[in-house]
Amino acid sequence: MPELPDITIYIEALEQRILGHTLERVQLASPFLLRTAMPPVTAVEGKQVQELRRLGKRICLGLEDELWLVLHLMIAGRLHWKESVGPGLVPAQSRGLTKFAKNHLATFQFDNGILSLTEAGTQRRASLHIVQGEDALRTLDRGGVELFRKANGTSTQLNCGLGDFIDLESFTRVVRSENHTLKRALTDPRLFSGIGNAYSDEILWHAQLSPVKLTQKMTDEEVLRLYDATRETLFDWVMRLRDEAGSSFPEKVTAFRKEMATHGKYREPCPRCGAKIQRIRYATNETNYCPNCQTGGKLLADRALSRLLREDWPRNADELA
Ligand SMILES: [Zn+2]
């Protein structure tokens, strides 16, 4: 599932392309995508894009008349951009629904190009909400604290940093507000905005903390380590993904990247100590960690963890959304 770094790069790429441009037409290829009835799709057609915003793991396109198109890519949803080839000419892809590939969910035709949404696999999880006004937009907010804050509002400015990282005191308050395993706390969208399965693995590896450590048992020093690791991991990945995308649209969005230390690296050597990366599998999720750096040499056996996993572990994609 695209998380804060991926969504940030998507938004920056969209800002460069569609900010100030008019959304001419929306075509939905899947009846399952749109989760709202009012305002209708036609309400956003002909409107200019005035703002791009991230809301948790959602991408929000703000249009005239306070209309918002809110996309959640879930696990396999991806965006693609095709520039118009010339005035009055649009790419073949937009000429009719029949041209759409099977995994194609929607097309947003702007006056300068086409943004399309695809979703790999057979499960239709990605969603689109169309809402009007800030209050309606806020109902889609899961409530997790924003880790990077812009002094001048929430919108991402071009060529600008992520904003100030949350202060340690606020971060600590959120970490200790409930007693959860660290894995669950980091990925809970009610606690933190934008972190999912992949970056939580990376953050915990950087912090050298166990994914099953309970948050209310953490020492001040451990919270500080988590705080630093969260900031550095997210910041580094935004920079890395920004470099990778360059001036092109981010087409290689994935939760598994070769530069990651633990996520998706089961049985591969830990880049810090060389021990084999281990995993905890539960429901549809896999958590990866280094037993040497993070759990004091202990292998976390799935069976011994059964109660913790049953009660205090992210279960499925919907819980992480
Ligand atoms: Zn290690």
Side-chain angles (χ1 to χ4, degrees):
M1 185 179 299
E3 302 175 31
L4 186 148
D6 308 283
I7 301 289
T8 300
I9 300 309
Y10 264 143
I11 286 178
E12 289 177 356
L14 287 171
E15 280 181 327
Q16 290 166 26
R17 287 162 178 83
I18 61 171
L19 197 59
H21 285 275
T22 301
L23 174 57
E24 292 178 338
R25 194 162 170 231
V26 178
Q27 284 180 291
L28 302 178
S30 158
F32 306 109
L33 182 69
L34 184 63
R35 307 294 163 87
T36 45
M38 287 297 287
V41 175
T42 48
V44 296
E45 293 180 336
K47 299 287 193 297
Q48 197 186 63
V49 181
Q50 298 185 319
E51 184 183 347
L52 276 299
R53 200 187 285 185
R54 180 180 59 77
L55 187 66
K57 294 173 190 129
R58 298 175 199 260
I59 294 170
C60 312
L61 281 63
L63 300 134
E64 290 171 284
D65 298 337
E66 286 193 83
L67 286 161
W68 291 92
L69 278 176
V70 185
L71 279 167
H72 200 310
L73 303 174
M74 292 300 288
I75 293 171
R78 297 292 181 269
L79 293 174
H80 315 276
W81 172 257
K82 262 206 177 89
E83 212 124 303
S84 290
V85 286
L89 295 170
V90 290
Q93 193 189 20
S94 70
R95 285 186 200 132
L97 287 172
T98 48
K99 298 258 188 198
F100 289 158
K102 212 168 107 196
N103 65 356
H104 196 106
L105 298 188
T107 292
F108 305 90
Q109 186 179 317
F110 292 86
D111 59 21
N112 62 332
I114 289 181
L115 180 69
S116 57
L117 170 67
T118 59
E119 188 172 33
T122 52
Q123 285 183 305
R124 290 287 162 254
R125 285 174 157 152
S127 68
L128 170 66
H129 290 75
I130 299 178
V131 297
Q132 191 162 28
E134 287 284 335
D135 289 348
L137 184 60
R138 257 196 298 278
T139 62
L140 298 172
D141 189 350
R142 300 292 306 273
V145 69
E146 216 36 81
L147 292 160
F148 294 93
R149 292 170 211 221
K150 294 273 174 354
N152 59 348
T154 46
S155 114
T156 312
Q157 303 295 314
L158 272 184
N159 304 319
C160 183
L162 283 164
D164 291 333
F165 195 64
I166 186 174
D167 60 89
L168 178 60
E169 196 186 327
S170 309
F171 182 87
T172 306
R173 206 166 33 235
V174 177
V175 170
R176 292 193 170 138
S177 61
E178 295 174 15
N179 195 29
H180 292 305
T181 59
L182 256 176
K183 179 71 181 181
R184 163 101 183 264
L186 280 178
T187 54
D188 188 338
R190 298 174 308 113
L191 297 180
F192 293 104
S193 167
I195 302 177
N197 202 31
Y199 291 98
S200 57
D201 278 357
E202 294 300 295
I203 289 168
L204 290 172
W205 179 82
H206 276 281
Q208 297 186 246
L209 289 167
S210 165
V212 301
K213 177 142 204 121
L214 289 170
T215 49
Q216 289 183 350
K217 289 199 172 150
M218 291 172 76
T219 64
D220 289 349
E221 190 271 331
E222 286 172 330
V223 175
L224 178 62
R225 244 156 58 202
L226 182 68
Y227 174 79
D228 287 337
T230 304
R231 185 189 60 236
E232 281 158 28
T233 303
L234 295 175
F235 189 82
D236 285 353
W237 274 101
V238 168
M239 296 302 145
R240 199 190 302 254
L241 299 183
R242 195 182 273 163
D243 276 357
E244 186 188 294
S247 58
S248 53
F249 196 80
E251 291 282 350
K252 291 182 207 147
V253 174
T254 169
F256 303 98
R257 295 185 180 268
K258 71 175 189 330
E259 302 92 343
M260 284 183 167
T262 55
H263 186 68
K265 304 285 185 175
Y266 177 56
R267 288 188 168 146
E268 289 183 38
C270 164
R272 189 190 286 119
C273 73
K276 276 188 182 166
I277 297 296
Q278 297 298 317
R279 67 182 178 189
I280 299 167
R281 281 186 296 175
Y282 188 71
T284 54
N285 282 328
E286 177 168 324
T287 295
N288 298 116
Y289 66 96
C290 170
N292 193 32
C293 298
Q294 291 174 254
T295 57
K298 251 198 322 206
L299 289 187
L300 303 173
D302 294 7
R303 257 181 61 197
L305 287 173
S306 62
R307 190 195 60 80
L308 261 189
L309 294 178
R310 203 168 53 240
E311 294 172 5
D312 208 25
W313 206 249
R315 265 172 209 87
N316 53 44
D318 292 323
E319 281 193 8
L320 301 177

